[in-house]
PDB file of all heavy atoms in Angstrom:
ATOM      1  N   LYS A 382     115.158  76.164  87.890  1.00 97.00           N
ATOM      2  CA  LYS A 382     114.343  75.577  88.958  1.00 97.00           C
ATOM      3  C   LYS A 382     114.734  76.151  90.314  1.00 97.00           C
ATOM      4  O   LYS A 382     115.803  76.718  90.477  1.00 97.00           O
ATOM      5  CB  LYS A 382     114.502  74.058  88.973  1.00 97.00           C
ATOM      6  CG  LYS A 382     113.980  73.364  87.727  1.00 97.00           C
ATOM      7  CD  LYS A 382     114.023  71.855  87.879  1.00 97.00           C
ATOM      8  CE  LYS A 382     113.438  71.160  86.671  1.00 97.00           C
ATOM      9  NZ  LYS A 382     113.448  69.675  86.824  1.00 97.00           N
ATOM     10  N   GLU A 383     113.849  75.978  91.272  1.00 97.00           N
ATOM     11  CA  GLU A 383     114.147  76.417  92.628  1.00 97.00           C
ATOM     12  C   GLU A 383     115.095  75.433  93.312  1.00 97.00           C
ATOM     13  O   GLU A 383     115.165  74.253  92.948  1.00 97.00           O
ATOM     14  CB  GLU A 383     112.843  76.544  93.430  1.00 97.00           C
ATOM     15  CG  GLU A 383     111.923  77.645  92.928  1.00 97.00           C
ATOM     16  CD  GLU A 383     110.716  77.838  93.824  1.00 97.00           C
ATOM     17  OE1 GLU A 383     110.503  77.014  94.728  1.00 97.00           O
ATOM     18  OE2 GLU A 383     109.990  78.825  93.618  1.00 97.00           O
ATOM     19  N   ARG A 384     115.775  75.923  94.299  1.00 97.00           N
ATOM     20  CA  ARG A 384     116.666  75.061  95.068  1.00 97.00           C
ATOM     21  C   ARG A 384     115.822  74.066  95.860  1.00 97.00           C
ATOM     22  O   ARG A 384     114.781  74.428  96.423  1.00 97.00           O
ATOM     23  CB  ARG A 384     117.534  75.897  96.002  1.00 97.00           C
ATOM     24  CG  ARG A 384     118.652  75.126  96.651  1.00 97.00           C
ATOM     25  CD  ARG A 384     119.805  76.023  97.056  1.00 97.00           C
ATOM     26  NE  ARG A 384     119.422  77.123  97.921  1.00 97.00           N
ATOM     27  CZ  ARG A 384     120.263  78.064  98.318  1.00 97.00           C
ATOM     28  NH1 ARG A 384     121.524  78.043  97.928  1.00 97.00           N
ATOM     29  NH2 ARG A 384     119.840  79.026  99.114  1.00 97.00           N
ATOM     30  N   GLU A 385     116.287  72.809  95.913  1.00 98.00           N
ATOM     31  CA  GLU A 385     115.524  71.775  96.588  1.00 98.00           C
ATOM     32  C   GLU A 385     116.388  70.964  97.533  1.00 98.00           C
ATOM     33  O   GLU A 385     117.600  70.835  97.343  1.00 98.00           O
ATOM     34  CB  GLU A 385     114.866  70.841  95.561  1.00 98.00           C
ATOM     35  CG  GLU A 385     115.826  70.080  94.691  1.00 98.00           C
ATOM     36  CD  GLU A 385     115.119  69.159  93.691  1.00 98.00           C
ATOM     37  OE1 GLU A 385     113.880  68.971  93.790  1.00 98.00           O
ATOM     38  OE2 GLU A 385     115.822  68.604  92.817  1.00 98.00           O
ATOM     39  N   PHE A 386     115.737  70.411  98.525  1.00 98.00           N
ATOM     40  CA  PHE A 386     116.410  69.580  99.513  1.00 98.00           C
ATOM     41  C   PHE A 386     116.860  68.265  98.898  1.00 98.00           C
ATOM     42  O   PHE A 386     116.133  67.666  98.103  1.00 98.00           O
ATOM     43  CB  PHE A 386     115.446  69.311 100.667  1.00 98.00           C
ATOM     44  CG  PHE A 386     115.898  68.264 101.627  1.00 98.00           C
ATOM     45  CD1 PHE A 386     116.884  68.532 102.551  1.00 98.00           C
ATOM     46  CD2 PHE A 386     115.339  66.986 101.599  1.00 98.00           C
ATOM     47  CE1 PHE A 386     117.302  67.559 103.444  1.00 98.00           C
ATOM     48  CE2 PHE A 386     115.752  66.017 102.484  1.00 98.00           C
ATOM     49  CZ  PHE A 386     116.746  66.297 103.404  1.00 98.00           C
ATOM     50  N   VAL A 387     118.049  67.809  99.335  1.00 98.00           N
ATOM     51  CA  VAL A 387     118.571  66.518  98.878  1.00 98.00           C
ATOM     52  C   VAL A 387     118.729  65.557 100.067  1.00 98.00           C
ATOM     53  O   VAL A 387     118.194  64.458 100.055  1.00 98.00           O
ATOM     54  CB  VAL A 387     119.927  66.680  98.172  1.00 98.00           C
ATOM     55  CG1 VAL A 387     120.475  65.313  97.770  1.00 98.00           C
ATOM     56  CG2 VAL A 387     119.799  67.580  96.948  1.00 98.00           C
ATOM     57  N   ALA A 388     119.488  66.001 101.077  1.00 98.00           N
ATOM     58  CA  ALA A 388     119.758  65.118 102.216  1.00 98.00           C
ATOM     59  C   ALA A 388     120.173  65.951 103.417  1.00 98.00           C
ATOM     60  O   ALA A 388     120.645  67.084 103.263  1.00 98.00           O
ATOM     61  CB  ALA A 388     120.861  64.114 101.872  1.00 98.00           C
ATOM     62  N   ALA A 389     119.996  65.384 104.605  1.00 97.00           N
ATOM     63  CA  ALA A 389     120.412  66.066 105.829  1.00 97.00           C
ATOM     64  C   ALA A 389     120.842  65.053 106.871  1.00 97.00           C
ATOM     65  O   ALA A 389     120.439  63.882 106.825  1.00 97.00           O
ATOM     66  CB  ALA A 389     119.274  66.925 106.382  1.00 97.00           C
ATOM     67  N   ILE A 390     121.680  65.521 107.795  1.00 96.00           N
ATOM     68  CA  ILE A 390     122.140  64.686 108.901  1.00 96.00           C
ATOM     69  C   ILE A 390     122.067  65.512 110.177  1.00 96.00           C
ATOM     70  O   ILE A 390     122.507  66.657 110.211  1.00 96.00           O
ATOM     71  CB  ILE A 390     123.565  64.146 108.624  1.00 96.00           C
ATOM     72  CG1 ILE A 390     123.999  63.175 109.727  1.00 96.00           C
ATOM     73  CG2 ILE A 390     124.569  65.281 108.453  1.00 96.00           C
ATOM     74  CD1 ILE A 390     125.240  62.380 109.339  1.00 96.00           C
ATOM     75  N   THR A 391     121.491  64.937 111.209  1.00 93.00           N
ATOM     76  CA  THR A 391     121.317  65.690 112.445  1.00 93.00           C
ATOM     77  C   THR A 391     122.620  65.764 113.235  1.00 93.00           C
ATOM     78  O   THR A 391     123.529  64.951 113.049  1.00 93.00           O
ATOM     79  CB  THR A 391     120.226  65.054 113.318  1.00 93.00           C
ATOM     80  OG1 THR A 391     120.630  63.711 113.667  1.00 93.00           O
ATOM     81  CG2 THR A 391     118.902  65.012 112.591  1.00 93.00           C
ATOM     82  N   SER A 392     122.699  66.723 114.116  1.00 90.00           N
ATOM     83  CA  SER A 392     123.948  66.986 114.832  1.00 90.00           C
ATOM     84  C   SER A 392     124.254  65.927 115.885  1.00 90.00           C
ATOM     85  O   SER A 392     125.382  65.469 116.004  1.00 90.00           O
ATOM     86  CB  SER A 392     123.904  68.363 115.480  1.00 90.00           C
ATOM     87  OG  SER A 392     122.799  68.450 116.365  1.00 90.00           O
ATOM     88  N   ILE A 393     123.281  65.523 116.673  1.00 81.00           N
ATOM     89  CA  ILE A 393     123.551  64.661 117.820  1.00 81.00           C
ATOM     90  C   ILE A 393     123.445  63.182 117.458  1.00 81.00           C
ATOM     91  O   ILE A 393     124.384  62.415 117.639  1.00 81.00           O
ATOM     92  CB  ILE A 393     122.602  65.009 118.975  1.00 81.00           C
ATOM     93  CG1 ILE A 393     122.822  66.469 119.421  1.00 81.00           C
ATOM     94  CG2 ILE A 393     122.825  64.058 120.153  1.00 81.00           C
ATOM     95  CD1 ILE A 393     121.841  66.943 120.459  1.00 81.00           C
ATOM     96  N   SER A 394     122.329  62.811 116.923  1.00 81.00           N
ATOM     97  CA  SER A 394     122.081  61.386 116.674  1.00 81.00           C
ATOM     98  C   SER A 394     122.565  60.908 115.313  1.00 81.00           C
ATOM     99  O   SER A 394     122.580  59.711 115.054  1.00 81.00           O
ATOM    100  CB  SER A 394     120.585  61.096 116.788  1.00 81.00           C
ATOM    101  OG  SER A 394     119.886  61.773 115.769  1.00 81.00           O
ATOM    102  N   THR A 395     122.987  61.848 114.476  1.00 86.00           N
ATOM    103  CA  THR A 395     123.399  61.555 113.077  1.00 86.00           C
ATOM    104  C   THR A 395     122.326  60.787 112.310  1.00 86.00           C
ATOM    105  O   THR A 395     122.637  59.949 111.453  1.00 86.00           O
ATOM    106  CB  THR A 395     124.748  60.807 113.008  1.00 86.00           C
ATOM    107  OG1 THR A 395     124.618  59.526 113.625  1.00 86.00           O
ATOM    108  CG2 THR A 395     125.835  61.601 113.690  1.00 86.00           C
ATOM    109  N   THR A 396     121.089  61.064 112.631  1.00 93.00           N
ATOM    110  CA  THR A 396     119.990  60.522 111.838  1.00 93.00           C
ATOM    111  C   THR A 396     120.009  61.193 110.471  1.00 93.00           C
ATOM    112  O   THR A 396     120.284  62.391 110.368  1.00 93.00           O
ATOM    113  CB  THR A 396     118.653  60.782 112.535  1.00 93.00           C
ATOM    114  OG1 THR A 396     118.683  60.198 113.839  1.00 93.00           O
ATOM    115  CG2 THR A 396     117.497  60.190 111.738  1.00 93.00           C
ATOM    116  N   THR A 397     119.722  60.423 109.437  1.00 95.00           N
ATOM    117  CA  THR A 397     119.765  60.976 108.086  1.00 95.00           C
ATOM    118  C   THR A 397     118.368  61.041 107.468  1.00 95.00           C
ATOM    119  O   THR A 397     117.498  60.218 107.779  1.00 95.00           O
ATOM    120  CB  THR A 397     120.681  60.143 107.185  1.00 95.00           C
ATOM    121  OG1 THR A 397     120.231  58.774 107.199  1.00 95.00           O
ATOM    122  CG2 THR A 397     122.119  60.189 107.685  1.00 95.00           C
ATOM    123  N   TYR A 398     118.202  62.030 106.602  1.00 95.00           N
ATOM    124  CA  TYR A 398     116.945  62.222 105.892  1.00 95.00           C
ATOM    125  C   TYR A 398     117.267  62.458 104.415  1.00 95.00           C
ATOM    126  O   TYR A 398     118.280  63.089 104.091  1.00 95.00           O
ATOM    127  CB  TYR A 398     116.184  63.422 106.447  1.00 95.00           C
ATOM    128  CG  TYR A 398     115.714  63.239 107.871  1.00 95.00           C
ATOM    129  CD1 TYR A 398     116.571  63.467 108.943  1.00 95.00           C
ATOM    130  CD2 TYR A 398     114.410  62.834 108.151  1.00 95.00           C
ATOM    131  CE1 TYR A 398     116.143  63.302 110.256  1.00 95.00           C
ATOM    132  CE2 TYR A 398     113.976  62.664 109.457  1.00 95.00           C
ATOM    133  CZ  TYR A 398     114.850  62.900 110.507  1.00 95.00           C
ATOM    134  OH  TYR A 398     114.429  62.730 111.797  1.00 95.00           O
ATOM    135  N   TYR A 399     116.387  61.998 103.545  1.00 97.00           N
ATOM    136  CA  TYR A 399     116.608  62.125 102.111  1.00 97.00           C
ATOM    137  C   TYR A 399     115.341  62.566 101.406  1.00 97.00           C
ATOM    138  O   TYR A 399     114.226  62.271 101.843  1.00 97.00           O
ATOM    139  CB  TYR A 399     117.062  60.787 101.528  1.00 97.00           C
ATOM    140  CG  TYR A 399     118.384  60.299 102.080  1.00 97.00           C
ATOM    141  CD1 TYR A 399     118.432  59.417 103.146  1.00 97.00           C
ATOM    142  CD2 TYR A 399     119.582  60.754 101.538  1.00 97.00           C
ATOM    143  CE1 TYR A 399     119.642  58.987 103.666  1.00 97.00           C
ATOM    144  CE2 TYR A 399     120.793  60.327 102.041  1.00 97.00           C
ATOM    145  CZ  TYR A 399     120.818  59.446 103.112  1.00 97.00           C
ATOM    146  OH  TYR A 399     122.015  59.028 103.622  1.00 97.00           O
ATOM    147  N   ALA A 400     115.546  63.255 100.299  1.00 97.00           N
ATOM    148  CA  ALA A 400     114.423  63.561  99.420  1.00 97.00           C
ATOM    149  C   ALA A 400     113.935  62.286  98.762  1.00 97.00           C
ATOM    150  O   ALA A 400     114.698  61.332  98.587  1.00 97.00           O
ATOM    151  CB  ALA A 400     114.866  64.561  98.359  1.00 97.00           C
ATOM    152  N   ASP A 401     112.687  62.278  98.398  1.00 96.00           N
ATOM    153  CA  ASP A 401     112.104  61.079  97.792  1.00 96.00           C
ATOM    154  C   ASP A 401     112.824  60.684  96.505  1.00 96.00           C
ATOM    155  O   ASP A 401     112.976  59.495  96.210  1.00 96.00           O
ATOM    156  CB  ASP A 401     110.622  61.303  97.515  1.00 96.00           C
ATOM    157  CG  ASP A 401     109.796  61.379  98.798  1.00 96.00           C
ATOM    158  OD1 ASP A 401     110.293  60.915  99.854  1.00 96.00           O
ATOM    159  OD2 ASP A 401     108.662  61.904  98.739  1.00 96.00           O
ATOM    160  N   PHE A 402     113.281  61.660  95.740  1.00 95.00           N
ATOM    161  CA  PHE A 402     113.896  61.335  94.449  1.00 95.00           C
ATOM    162  C   PHE A 402     115.254  60.631  94.606  1.00 95.00           C
ATOM    163  O   PHE A 402     115.772  60.059  93.668  1.00 95.00           O
ATOM    164  CB  PHE A 402     114.070  62.589  93.579  1.00 95.00           C
ATOM    165  CG  PHE A 402     114.983  63.631  94.165  1.00 95.00           C
ATOM    166  CD1 PHE A 402     116.360  63.469  94.131  1.00 95.00           C
ATOM    167  CD2 PHE A 402     114.466  64.781  94.735  1.00 95.00           C
ATOM    168  CE1 PHE A 402     117.206  64.434  94.654  1.00 95.00           C
ATOM    169  CE2 PHE A 402     115.302  65.748  95.265  1.00 95.00           C
ATOM    170  CZ  PHE A 402     116.680  65.568  95.222  1.00 95.00           C
ATOM    171  N   VAL A 403     115.820  60.664  95.809  1.00 95.00           N
ATOM    172  CA  VAL A 403     117.107  59.989  96.024  1.00 95.00           C
ATOM    173  C   VAL A 403     116.961  58.482  95.854  1.00 95.00           C
ATOM    174  O   VAL A 403     117.824  57.824  95.268  1.00 95.00           O
ATOM    175  CB  VAL A 403     117.664  60.340  97.412  1.00 95.00           C
ATOM    176  CG1 VAL A 403     118.832  59.437  97.771  1.00 95.00           C
ATOM    177  CG2 VAL A 403     118.080  61.805  97.465  1.00 95.00           C
ATOM    178  N   GLN A 404     115.907  57.921  96.381  1.00 89.00           N
ATOM    179  CA  GLN A 404     115.560  56.505  96.180  1.00 89.00           C
ATOM    180  C   GLN A 404     116.725  55.568  96.458  1.00 89.00           C
ATOM    181  O   GLN A 404     117.006  54.657  95.682  1.00 89.00           O
ATOM    182  CB  GLN A 404     115.044  56.292  94.754  1.00 89.00           C
ATOM    183  CG  GLN A 404     113.759  57.049  94.457  1.00 89.00           C
ATOM    184  CD  GLN A 404     113.308  56.874  93.020  1.00 89.00           C
ATOM    185  OE1 GLN A 404     114.122  56.733  92.117  1.00 89.00           O
ATOM    186  NE2 GLN A 404     112.010  56.896  92.812  1.00 89.00           N
ATOM    187  N   GLY A 405     117.443  55.810  97.541  1.00 93.00           N
ATOM    188  CA  GLY A 405     118.513  54.918  97.949  1.00 93.00           C
ATOM    189  C   GLY A 405     119.811  55.090  97.193  1.00 93.00           C
ATOM    190  O   GLY A 405     120.761  54.331  97.408  1.00 93.00           O
ATOM    191  N   ARG A 406     119.898  56.074  96.317  1.00 97.00           N
ATOM    192  CA  ARG A 406     121.105  56.255  95.498  1.00 97.00           C
ATOM    193  C   ARG A 406     122.170  57.094  96.189  1.00 97.00           C
ATOM    194  O   ARG A 406     123.359  56.978  95.876  1.00 97.00           O
ATOM    195  CB  ARG A 406     120.719  56.916  94.173  1.00 97.00           C
ATOM    196  CG  ARG A 406     119.725  56.105  93.364  1.00 97.00           C
ATOM    197  CD  ARG A 406     119.383  56.817  92.050  1.00 97.00           C
ATOM    198  NE  ARG A 406     118.734  58.112  92.295  1.00 97.00           N
ATOM    199  CZ  ARG A 406     119.142  59.248  91.747  1.00 97.00           C
ATOM    200  NH1 ARG A 406     120.174  59.262  90.939  1.00 97.00           N
ATOM    201  NH2 ARG A 406     118.481  60.375  92.013  1.00 97.00           N
ATOM    202  N   PHE A 407     121.772  57.983  97.088  1.00 98.00           N
ATOM    203  CA  PHE A 407     122.712  58.898  97.746  1.00 98.00           C
ATOM    204  C   PHE A 407     122.851  58.539  99.216  1.00 98.00           C
ATOM    205  O   PHE A 407     121.904  58.050  99.851  1.00 98.00           O
ATOM    206  CB  PHE A 407     122.212  60.340  97.659  1.00 98.00           C
ATOM    207  CG  PHE A 407     122.070  60.892  96.263  1.00 98.00           C
ATOM    208  CD1 PHE A 407     121.557  62.174  96.072  1.00 98.00           C
ATOM    209  CD2 PHE A 407     122.445  60.172  95.133  1.00 98.00           C
ATOM    210  CE1 PHE A 407     121.422  62.715  94.812  1.00 98.00           C
ATOM    211  CE2 PHE A 407     122.311  60.699  93.864  1.00 98.00           C
ATOM    212  CZ  PHE A 407     121.796  61.973  93.704  1.00 98.00           C
ATOM    213  N   THR A 408     124.026  58.851  99.767  1.00 98.00           N
ATOM    214  CA  THR A 408     124.255  58.652 101.195  1.00 98.00           C
ATOM    215  C   THR A 408     124.965  59.873 101.760  1.00 98.00           C
ATOM    216  O   THR A 408     126.033  60.252 101.267  1.00 98.00           O
ATOM    217  CB  THR A 408     125.119  57.411 101.451  1.00 98.00           C
ATOM    218  OG1 THR A 408     124.483  56.254 100.897  1.00 98.00           O
ATOM    219  CG2 THR A 408     125.306  57.192 102.954  1.00 98.00           C
ATOM    220  N   ILE A 409     124.389  60.468 102.790  1.00 97.00           N
ATOM    221  CA  ILE A 409     125.039  61.580 103.481  1.00 97.00           C
ATOM    222  C   ILE A 409     125.746  61.022 104.707  1.00 97.00           C
ATOM    223  O   ILE A 409     125.235  60.127 105.399  1.00 97.00           O
ATOM    224  CB  ILE A 409     124.025  62.678 103.879  1.00 97.00           C
ATOM    225  CG1 ILE A 409     124.756  63.899 104.454  1.00 97.00           C
ATOM    226  CG2 ILE A 409     122.968  62.155 104.839  1.00 97.00           C
ATOM    227  CD1 ILE A 409     123.835  65.104 104.670  1.00 97.00           C
ATOM    228  N   SER A 410     126.945  61.537 104.965  1.00 96.00           N
ATOM    229  CA  SER A 410     127.705  61.063 106.114  1.00 96.00           C
ATOM    230  C   SER A 410     128.551  62.200 106.662  1.00 96.00           C
ATOM    231  O   SER A 410     128.737  63.226 106.009  1.00 96.00           O
ATOM    232  CB  SER A 410     128.590  59.875 105.726  1.00 96.00           C
ATOM    233  OG  SER A 410     129.514  60.267 104.730  1.00 96.00           O
ATOM    234  N   ARG A 411     129.060  61.981 107.851  1.00 95.00           N
ATOM    235  CA  ARG A 411     129.864  63.013 108.507  1.00 95.00           C
ATOM    236  C   ARG A 411     131.145  62.381 109.034  1.00 95.00           C
ATOM    237  O   ARG A 411     131.111  61.280 109.589  1.00 95.00           O
ATOM    238  CB  ARG A 411     129.075  63.647 109.642  1.00 95.00           C
ATOM    239  CG  ARG A 411     129.666  64.938 110.196  1.00 95.00           C
ATOM    240  CD  ARG A 411     128.776  65.496 111.282  1.00 95.00           C
ATOM    241  NE  ARG A 411     128.861  64.692 112.495  1.00 95.00           N
ATOM    242  CZ  ARG A 411     127.867  64.617 113.382  1.00 95.00           C
ATOM    243  NH1 ARG A 411     126.740  65.267 113.181  1.00 95.00           N
ATOM    244  NH2 ARG A 411     128.016  63.870 114.462  1.00 95.00           N
ATOM    245  N   ASP A 412     132.252  63.074 108.858  1.00 94.00           N
ATOM    246  CA  ASP A 412     133.539  62.632 109.399  1.00 94.00           C
ATOM    247  C   ASP A 412     133.982  63.673 110.412  1.00 94.00           C
ATOM    248  O   ASP A 412     134.439  64.755 110.048  1.00 94.00           O
ATOM    249  CB  ASP A 412     134.563  62.508 108.261  1.00 94.00           C
ATOM    250  CG  ASP A 412     135.861  61.870 108.734  1.00 94.00           C
ATOM    251  OD1 ASP A 412     136.260  62.109 109.901  1.00 94.00           O
ATOM    252  OD2 ASP A 412     136.488  61.159 107.943  1.00 94.00           O
ATOM    253  N   ASP A 413     133.825  63.346 111.675  1.00 92.00           N
ATOM    254  CA  ASP A 413     134.130  64.321 112.722  1.00 92.00           C
ATOM    255  C   ASP A 413     135.629  64.610 112.814  1.00 92.00           C
ATOM    256  O   ASP A 413     136.030  65.720 113.182  1.00 92.00           O
ATOM    257  CB  ASP A 413     133.603  63.815 114.067  1.00 92.00           C
ATOM    258  CG  ASP A 413     132.087  63.763 114.104  1.00 92.00           C
ATOM    259  OD1 ASP A 413     131.448  64.391 113.234  1.00 92.00           O
ATOM    260  OD2 ASP A 413     131.530  63.080 114.990  1.00 92.00           O
ATOM    261  N   ASP A 414     136.452  63.653 112.477  1.00 94.00           N
ATOM    262  CA  ASP A 414     137.912  63.883 112.515  1.00 94.00           C
ATOM    263  C   ASP A 414     138.328  64.889 111.452  1.00 94.00           C
ATOM    264  O   ASP A 414     139.164  65.762 111.688  1.00 94.00           O
ATOM    265  CB  ASP A 414     138.662  62.575 112.332  1.00 94.00           C
ATOM    266  CG  ASP A 414     138.511  61.666 113.544  1.00 94.00           C
ATOM    267  OD1 ASP A 414     138.236  62.180 114.653  1.00 94.00           O
ATOM    268  OD2 ASP A 414     138.664  60.438 113.376  1.00 94.00           O
ATOM    269  N   LYS A 415     137.758  64.741 110.257  1.00 95.00           N
ATOM    270  CA  LYS A 415     138.104  65.635 109.152  1.00 95.00           C
ATOM    271  C   LYS A 415     137.236  66.900 109.140  1.00 95.00           C
ATOM    272  O   LYS A 415     137.480  67.807 108.349  1.00 95.00           O
ATOM    273  CB  LYS A 415     137.954  64.906 107.821  1.00 95.00           C
ATOM    274  CG  LYS A 415     138.926  63.756 107.646  1.00 95.00           C
ATOM    275  CD  LYS A 415     138.743  63.095 106.290  1.00 95.00           C
ATOM    276  CE  LYS A 415     139.737  61.959 106.105  1.00 95.00           C
ATOM    277  NZ  LYS A 415     139.551  61.273 104.790  1.00 95.00           N
ATOM    278  N   ASN A 416     136.211  66.902 110.006  1.00 94.00           N
ATOM    279  CA  ASN A 416     135.284  68.046 110.076  1.00 94.00           C
ATOM    280  C   ASN A 416     134.594  68.287 108.733  1.00 94.00           C
ATOM    281  O   ASN A 416     134.491  69.419 108.246  1.00 94.00           O
ATOM    282  CB  ASN A 416     136.019  69.317 110.505  1.00 94.00           C
ATOM    283  CG  ASN A 416     135.160  70.189 111.406  1.00 94.00           C
ATOM    284  OD1 ASN A 416     134.580  69.717 112.386  1.00 94.00           O
ATOM    285  ND2 ASN A 416     135.061  71.466 111.084  1.00 94.00           N
ATOM    286  N   THR A 417     134.145  67.206 108.123  1.00 96.00           N
ATOM    287  CA  THR A 417     133.492  67.295 106.819  1.00 96.00           C
ATOM    288  C   THR A 417     132.174  66.533 106.807  1.00 96.00           C
ATOM    289  O   THR A 417     131.961  65.614 107.598  1.00 96.00           O
ATOM    290  CB  THR A 417     134.383  66.720 105.707  1.00 96.00           C
ATOM    291  OG1 THR A 417     134.671  65.348 106.017  1.00 96.00           O
ATOM    292  CG2 THR A 417     135.675  67.493 105.572  1.00 96.00           C
TER     293      THR A 417
END
């Protein structure tokens, strides 16, 4: 299959976006201290 989008987080506002198939199961987050 082709590569597909799963989730994203914006740089400034940390707004998150998810693919429809995630359906609340996945959470993207950022740890600025750990740079991850």
Side-chain angles (χ1 to χ4, degrees):
K382 295 187 177 181
E383 294 186 351
R384 190 155 55 184
E385 63 180 350
F386 169 76
V387 177
I390 185 167
T391 62
S392 58
I393 299 174
S394 65
T395 64
T396 302
T397 56
Y398 294 82
Y399 297 95
D401 290 341
F402 62 77
V403 168
Q404 297 177 328
R406 300 180 297 128
F407 298 177
T408 302
I409 187 171
S410 61
R411 193 178 72 207
D412 188 325
D413 293 344
D414 290 336
K415 295 181 179 179
N416 217 50
T417 59

